[in-house]
Amino acid sequence: LVVAGLVTVSLWGGSAFASDSGGAAVEQAQTPEAVVFDLHYRALTGPDDPLSYRSFWGFGSDTPTGIPFVEAVTKQVKEFNLVYNGAFPSAQQWSVVELKEKKPVAMYFDLDGDGTLTDNERIQPAASSQSQQQQEFTFVTPDFTIRKDGGVENPYRVMLVANSYGGEQMNYMWSPCCVLEGQATLAGEPTRLFLYDSGFDGTFRVFGTSSFTLIPASQKVEEYLPRAMLSTLICREGTYYRLAIEGSQEKDKILQVTFRKDTSPTGRTVINLAGKESLKTRLNYARISGAKDDTIQFNTTNAQSVIPVGQYRLAGGSVCYGVESSDQWQVSFDTGPEFAVVEDQTASIEMGEATLTVKAAAEQERWNSDAEMKTTYAKGTPLYLSLQIKGKAGEVYTRFSKNNAENNQWSDVKPHLTIVNADGKEITSTDLEYG
């Protein structure tokens, strides 16, 4: 990527990448026709739990009135912050954090959602831990019940973290603090399955939004485990499985996730990157989704270019490239094209030939969904500039990195933007940031 002066882009050489061993990718040891994982609820201990989500959500809202639980708490608490979570059922959306000298000392959470305050609904901060370097204050609720439409009652617990970031105001963020887990023998190996919620409604089973982790049962869970989106079609070690879910995650009930080895016909995929230069390229990974079926969301690597027949979309991924080797540069992309995989045929996906578009909006309107993008503004108007690099198939390139040959570490490239007037005289220039 070259961004200088009036901004020019040179990206990709004519190249293609695919696995020569793709046919072997589906030749795996025979597995039982169906492998069933019985999943049970598991509460997490807090931010240091190795299964912790490591993801946090904040919710803004106007100050409420007429909330029985808030009124019950604030009758006996003098200094406090109100904290909102719009993803909870309405009876549990508002909590209260008690303050002393502007620092949190307790959290009040309506565990039973009845609008009254009981002794067990005053929650003390979690004990000191390694995570306090990132979170100043942490509260973990006991298990409670989320009541859904139809009378379904799912056990749940959440974590609330509070940080001041050096200021006087506390900032609050929520995270789920529970998973579902189970064990079965998959492809001849005892395997553990974990399901993670996609929000705060106690539903761990939604294909396309919930996430999962599969690990060998012998592996110790001591640190963060990478997760993938829960999908009706997944690829594990070169073998494709179809997933189905039955049962319930309600208390004392069992949720069953069934893995069936996919036996449908397959085809191959090849990605072609066209450009002005001759570059060596390597697919780092790709996210594949169903073109019409959003329950299909799986990752694939260069060694897995064999895919079951069907209609798909290249939802995103990462490509390594360079002139001397394929590991000099790396770029991520989103919103790739649709493609069809046909039995015993090769689907060719044409990408590259990227172009750069620069858009400008008035700074004060940058967050408006209908912000007008114009090419002329009054002198002195603060502007917000956004750049988009888009390929021939509609793919959007998002982040460029360069490999340091000395330590083999990747670092983000900061594009440099120069704005000139009609006479070519520089007006301003700056390094751009990702965001």
Side-chain angles (χ1 to χ4, degrees):
L1 172 69
V2 179
V3 182
L6 289 176
V7 189
T8 62
V9 177
S10 177
L11 181 65
W12 307 131
S15 179
F17 51 85
S19 170
D20 292 334
S21 59
V26 295
E27 295 177 4
Q28 301 292 327
Q30 291 298 313
T31 58
E33 180 180 351
V35 175
V36 179
F37 289 82
D38 291 341
L39 301 187
H40 302 271
Y41 173 83
R42 171 174 171 171
L44 306 183
T45 58
D48 292 329
D49 193 307
L51 293 175
S52 176
Y53 283 57
R54 308 295 202 275
S55 299
F56 298 90
W57 291 262
F59 300 82
S61 179
D62 296 332
T63 302
T65 58
I67 306 297
F69 183 75
V70 171
E71 293 177 350
V73 174
T74 55
K75 284 180 180 178
Q76 62 184 54
V77 174
K78 295 181 179 180
E79 187 182 359
F80 59 87
N81 288 145
L82 301 183
V83 185
Y84 179 68
N85 187 327
F88 284 146
S90 58
Q92 294 164 307
Q93 290 182 348
W94 284 98
S95 300
V96 182
V97 175
E98 182 179 0
L99 305 175
K100 186 175 182 180
E101 298 179 353
K102 298 184 178 180
K103 300 298 182 183
V105 296
M107 171 192 177
Y108 295 82
F109 187 88
D110 195 359
L111 294 171
D112 55 15
D114 67 353
T116 64
L117 175 62
T118 56
D119 291 342
N120 69 326
E121 292 175 332
R122 185 181 191 272
I123 301 165
Q124 299 287 341
S128 299
S129 63
Q130 296 178 357
S131 67
Q132 284 197 334
Q133 295 179 357
Q134 290 81 32
Q135 316 297 343
E136 293 179 54
F137 300 92
T138 302
F139 299 92
V140 178
T141 70
D143 290 341
F144 61 95
T145 298
I146 289 185
R147 295 176 177 84
K148 297 177 64 64
D149 296 339
V152 176
E153 297 186 350
N154 295 329
Y156 209 70
R157 72 165 49 182
V158 292
M159 175 169 59
L160 179 71
V161 298
N163 296 283
S164 65
Y165 303 110
E168 295 186 357
Q169 298 268 338
M170 298 304 303
N171 295 272
Y172 299 96
M173 301 286 283
W174 296 93
S175 180
C177 202
C178 51
V179 297
L180 301 184
E181 69 167 340
Q183 181 171 324
T185 299
L186 183 65
E189 180 180 32
T191 304
R192 298 173 72 184
L193 171 65
F194 300 96
L195 292 192
Y196 296 81
D197 195 12
S198 58
F200 296 88
D201 63 355
T203 304
F204 299 81
R205 58 188 295 167
V206 182
F207 291 112
T209 58
S210 300
S211 54
F212 76 99
T213 293
L214 277 172
I215 63 170
S218 59
Q219 178 179 332
K220 292 184 178 180
V221 183
E222 298 177 330
E223 56 186 17
Y224 173 81
L225 298 176
R227 302 192 292 268
M229 191 167 289
L230 186 62
S231 172
T232 52
L233 176 66
I234 70 167
C235 185
R236 175 172 169 79
E237 297 179 354
T239 298
Y240 286 93
Y241 297 91
R242 300 281 177 175
L243 271 60
I245 298 180
E246 296 178 338
S248 171
Q249 67 258 38
E250 292 183 82
K251 184 178 180 181
D252 300 326
K253 294 186 179 181
I254 296 175
L255 185 75
Q256 292 186 322
V257 181
T258 301
F259 285 62
R260 287 184 173 84
K261 187 176 180 180
D262 184 72
T263 58
S264 56
T266 61
R268 291 174 59 87
T269 59
V270 174
I271 297 178
N272 297 313
L273 301 174
K276 297 178 181 179
E277 300 178 68
S278 177
L279 301 178
K280 298 177 181 178
T281 61
R282 175 177 63 84
L283 177 65
N284 189 20
Y285 77 94
R287 290 185 289 109
I288 307 295
S289 64
K292 307 299 181 184
D293 182 0
D294 59 9
T295 69
I296 296 178
Q297 302 276 347
F298 66 92
N299 292 342
T300 183
T301 67
N302 194 30
Q304 298 162 358
S305 61
V306 173
I307 298 178
V309 298
Q311 299 288 328
Y312 299 99
R313 176 183 294 278
L314 188 59
S318 174
V319 176
C320 296
Y321 66 97
V323 175
E324 298 175 358
S325 76
S326 61
D327 288 318
Q328 291 180 274
W329 303 83
Q330 181 174 260
V331 63
S332 300
F333 65 90
D334 289 324
T335 323
E338 293 186 10
F339 63 97
V341 175
V342 180
E343 183 177 1
D344 296 332
Q345 296 185 23
T346 297
S348 180
I349 304 172
E350 304 294 330
M351 296 171 57
E353 295 183 2
T355 58
L356 175 65
T357 302
V358 181
K359 295 182 179 181
E363 170 69 19
Q364 63 183 12
E365 298 180 3
R366 61 174 292 193
W367 299 116
N368 297 343
S369 60
D370 58 349
E372 184 180 2
M373 299 290 179
K374 299 188 296 184
T375 57
T376 303
Y377 289 89
K379 184 177 181 179
T381 302
L383 299 180
Y384 177 76
L385 300 180
S386 61
L387 278 64
Q388 185 181 72
I389 302 175
K390 201 168 185 178
K392 62 185 295 185
E395 75 277 13
V396 177
Y397 297 99
T398 57
R399 185 177 294 270
F400 292 82
S401 303
K402 185 176 182 179
N403 191 6
N404 187 327
E406 294 181 358
N407 56 18
N408 198 32
Q409 296 293 316
W410 295 94
S411 59
D412 287 340
V413 176
K414 284 190 174 183
H416 187 77
L417 175 69
T418 299
I419 299 177
V420 300
N421 62 17
D423 298 325
K425 182 180 179 181
E426 180 178 320
I427 299 174
T428 186
S429 66
T430 183
D431 286 339
L432 303 178
E433 298 181 358
Y434 290 98

